[in-house]
Amino acid sequence: MITIPPFIQDGKFYFSHPNSIQQSSFSKLLFPCKTNSPITESGAVSVDTLLSVRNLLSTMGAGCPFQPSFTGSLIAGIQILCGVNLSNSYFVDIGSYDGSVADGYMQLMKQANVFKQISALCLIEIIESMCDQMENKYKHQVDPVVHVVNKAIHHKSGYMQRYLKDENSDNEIYSLLSTREIGCFDQTSTNTVECCRLDDLHNDLLSKYGFPRAVRIQVNGREYDVIRSFGELIEHVDIISFTMAAFGFEYLGYNLIHDYLSSNQFVVLRMTPHGFYVLPSPEYIDNKIPFITNYIAIKTELFQSHIIPRAIDFFI
C-alpha cells in the first residue's frame, strides 16, 4: 500500500483543515486579545511571538519546502491511487534542474509495477549545463524514453533574457520575455534562452506519446505564464504540481493561478506538514507570505471520485 507521509498513508489521503489550525496553540495570534498582546510596551514584537507566528505559518504550509524527489513520488502516488490511465501518456517536469523530481516519480512508478505503462517523460530546463548532465544521466533509459529539452516554457514563443539572482550565484531565474519576434533578437547571445508554449512542444515533439497527464512546475515566478501555455492540453492534464515563493509575488498574484485552474475544473490543495489543505479560494498566505509554498491541483472529477472516498480528517 502506498505510503508517503504526511499526505498518503496506507493508501489514504490525509488533510489539514481550518478547525485543526484554529485549535492549535498558535491560532491565538490570529485573534490576539488585549491582555495577551504580541506587542511589547516598547512597541517591538517579542521573539516568542515571532517564533509562534513562524510556526503557525509552517502549520498552514508556508515555508515548508519538500525534497524534489519527494514531490515526484507524491505526484506518482496520486496518479496510481486515483487510477489514472497511464497508457498513451507522458509526464512533464518544467524546471527540472538535475532531474530529481523525475527520479522520485520513476522510483515509485517502478515500485508499483506501472512504470512501463508511461510512454515518455519530458524534462525541461533552461540551464544548458544541467541539460547536458540529464542527457548523460538518462541516456540508457529507453522504455519509457526520457526527453531533455533546453528551453523555457512561456505563454508566448520567442527568446528571453537570462539573469542571475546575484553576482555570486549560478542559479538562473526567469526574466521578462522579449517582445521582439524570433529572428530580431540576438539568438547567438549566451544571455538568451528560447521559450515556447507547452502545446507547441507537444505538437512538435511529444504528441506521438499521447497526452501529459501530470505536470510539475518550478519556474521561480512564472508559473501562471507556464500554465497558460498549456492551451487545450489542460483538458487532458489530471495533476499539476507547482510552487510559489517570494520572487513569484513580483510578477503576479496567486489568485490568477487559482482562478485559472478552478475555471478548468481543478481543485487546488496547499501542501502542509499535516496533509493537504483544500483551497476553495485564495487566502492571505497565498499572496502575501514570502516563503516557499507548494501546491497540488487535481481534476475535480478525480478528486471527488477517488480522493474524497479515501480521505482522512477531511472538512470543507
Side-chain angles (χ1 to χ4, degrees):
M1 190 66 70
I2 293 175
T3 295
I4 309 173
F7 303 101
I8 302 173
Q9 298 186 47
D10 295 329
K12 300 290 186 179
F13 295 93
Y14 280 71
F15 286 82
S16 177
H17 57 86
N19 289 344
S20 65
I21 292 174
Q22 291 174 6
Q23 291 169 5
S24 73
S25 59
F26 310 116
S27 63
K28 61 184 180 182
L29 292 168
L30 294 176
F31 312 99
C33 61
K34 294 181 180 180
T35 58
N36 188 27
S37 174
I39 309 298
T40 64
E41 293 182 1
S42 64
V45 180
S46 69
V47 173
D48 287 343
T49 296
L50 291 176
L51 290 175
S52 296
V53 169
R54 184 66 186 85
N55 287 334
L56 175 60
L57 293 174
S58 295
T59 299
M60 298 176 71
C64 293
F66 297 95
Q67 292 294 326
S69 59
F70 175 89
T71 300
S73 296
L74 182 60
I75 295 170
I78 294 173
Q79 281 190 289
I80 294 167
L81 291 176
C82 287
V84 171
N85 183 8
L86 299 174
S87 61
N88 296 316
S89 74
Y90 59 89
F91 170 66
V92 182
D93 184 15
I94 303 172
S96 297
Y97 193 63
D98 63 357
S100 293
V101 170
D103 290 342
Y105 183 86
M106 290 189 285
Q107 181 181 18
L108 189 61
M109 286 294 185
K110 290 176 181 177
Q111 291 175 357
N113 296 317
V114 295
F115 183 50
K116 291 190 176 182
Q117 293 182 25
I118 306 166
S119 301
L121 292 88
C122 182
L123 313 184
I124 305 170
E125 174 57 48
I126 66 172
I127 304 177
E128 186 174 0
S129 60
M130 299 310 299
C131 287
D132 291 341
Q133 289 185 30
M134 287 192 290
E135 287 277 11
N136 184 62
K137 181 179 182 180
Y138 301 114
K139 63 183 178 182
H140 298 301
Q141 177 59 49
V142 178
D143 186 19
V145 66
V146 175
H147 283 286
V148 177
V149 177
N150 183 209
K151 292 183 180 181
I153 301 299
H154 199 279
H155 76 283
K156 294 168 62 179
S157 296
Y159 280 77
M160 66 182 179
Q161 298 276 4
R162 305 173 190 264
Y163 69 92
L164 303 179
K165 293 181 180 179
D166 57 65
E167 294 179 356
N168 298 318
S169 174
D170 291 329
N171 296 320
E172 298 169 351
I173 62 175
Y174 281 100
S175 67
L176 294 176
L177 175 70
S178 170
T179 58
R180 301 180 185 180
E181 297 293 333
I182 297 178
C184 298
F185 205 93
D186 181 10
Q187 300 176 26
T188 62
S189 171
T190 58
N191 198 39
T192 62
V193 60
E194 183 181 358
C195 53
C196 67
R197 293 176 54 88
L198 184 62
D199 53 7
D200 287 340
L201 184 63
H202 169 82
N203 293 333
D204 295 341
L205 176 67
L206 302 169
S207 60
K208 60 186 176 184
Y209 301 113
F211 293 99
R213 295 295 182 186
V215 181
R216 179 259 188 178
I217 305 168
Q218 170 83 56
V219 294
N220 298 343
R222 287 295 178 183
E223 286 74 15
Y224 181 57
D225 289 329
V226 169
I227 293 171
R228 284 196 294 166
S229 80
F230 290 16
E232 294 182 358
L233 279 181
I234 200 165
E235 297 177 6
H236 302 279
V237 178
D238 297 310
I239 299 167
I240 301 174
S241 167
F242 64 97
T243 301
M244 294 288 289
F247 31 72
F249 303 138
E250 179 181 349
Y251 302 112
L252 54 93
Y254 166 81
N255 297 39
L256 294 174
I257 297 176
H258 190 281
D259 291 347
Y260 187 84
L261 292 176
S262 296
S263 67
N264 283 281
Q265 306 305 310
F266 282 89
V267 174
V268 183
L269 312 173
R270 189 194 300 139
M271 294 164 63
T272 81
H274 304 289
F276 297 106
Y277 182 89
V278 181
L279 285 166
S281 60
E283 298 180 345
Y284 181 86
I285 192 174
D286 301 303
N287 283 307
K288 300 296 183 180
I289 305 300
F291 299 133
I292 294 174
T293 307
N294 295 275
Y295 303 86
I296 293 278
I298 303 173
K299 272 291 174 61
T300 301
E301 181 181 358
L302 283 180
F303 184 79
Q304 293 177 343
S305 61
H306 289 85
I307 293 184
I308 291 181
R310 292 173 175 264
I312 301 295
D313 202 20
F314 176 73
F315 292 86
I316 187 171

